[in-house]
Amino acid sequence: MRRLASVDTEQRAEPRPETGAEQREQSRLWHITLSVAGAEAPLKEVRRALEQLAYDHPFLLNSRYANDHAEIRYWEEARDLHDAAAVALRLWGEHRASAKLPPWEIVGLEVVGRETYQQRMAEGYGPPSATSIGVHPF
């Protein structure tokens, strides 16, 4: 049976007090794909909002968008999958006003560890290689 490191429950032992250096050592990188959708909005406004989100959230890798949905991919540093997912689920709502994002809801979330992401890329899975960093239409 293959065990996924990103969801290994044995790693979630009792928390212990840690110094800042120890905490930084234990944090890991997680690849986030956040999908949002809702009522149609003008493409120009969606693009501008996603560009502002990328400016506000510097780890944003790329966004793809249409007038009624978008997909955002980025890296998040967090202690575990639960923390990374919690931050990702707050991203859209916390930046809705400042970036003037459409009032869409989150309809999908994928959080994978760095090793899993790298394995997928090595096997030819993942975002198309033609998709560069930035904000692009679907």
Side-chain angles (χ1 to χ4, degrees):
M1 181 170 114
R2 184 173 164 205
R3 182 174 229 158
L4 297 175
S6 61
V7 294
D8 187 357
T9 55
E10 292 176 21
Q11 291 180 2
R12 296 188 58 81
E14 287 296 314
R16 61 180 175 81
E18 298 170 344
T19 65
E22 288 176 312
Q23 190 174 17
R24 278 192 298 277
E25 287 178 23
Q26 288 190 348
S27 66
R28 301 183 339 201
L29 283 176
W30 301 89
H31 187 266
I32 310 290
T33 303
L34 184 70
S35 300
V36 294
E40 289 188 10
L43 282 176
K44 202 178 250 187
E45 290 179 22
V46 173
R47 180 181 182 90
R48 189 222 35 84
L50 290 173
E51 287 172 344
Q52 183 63 46
L53 178 61
Y55 179 79
D56 292 347
H57 195 276
F59 296 108
L60 192 74
L61 286 177
N62 68 26
S63 298
R64 298 186 305 164
Y65 66 94
N67 61 349
D68 63 349
H69 66 283
E71 180 182 89
I72 301 163
R73 296 175 184 260
Y74 67 97
W75 289 99
E76 185 68 61
E77 185 175 0
R79 182 175 49 94
D80 59 22
L81 181 134
H82 298 93
D83 290 348
V87 171
L89 289 170
R90 290 192 312 264
L91 177 74
W92 192 259
E94 287 180 356
H95 289 276
R96 182 172 285 150
S98 64
K100 298 181 181 163
L101 296 166
W104 296 344
E105 66 177 330
I106 296 171
V107 296
L109 173 65
E110 180 185 56
V111 181
V112 295
R114 183 178 180 187
E115 298 80 19
T116 302
Y117 177 81
Q118 289 173 337
Q119 181 181 357
R120 284 181 178 180
M121 295 303 288
E123 293 173 353
Y125 301 106
S129 58
T131 303
S132 61
I133 293 174
V135 178
H136 308 281
F138 270 104

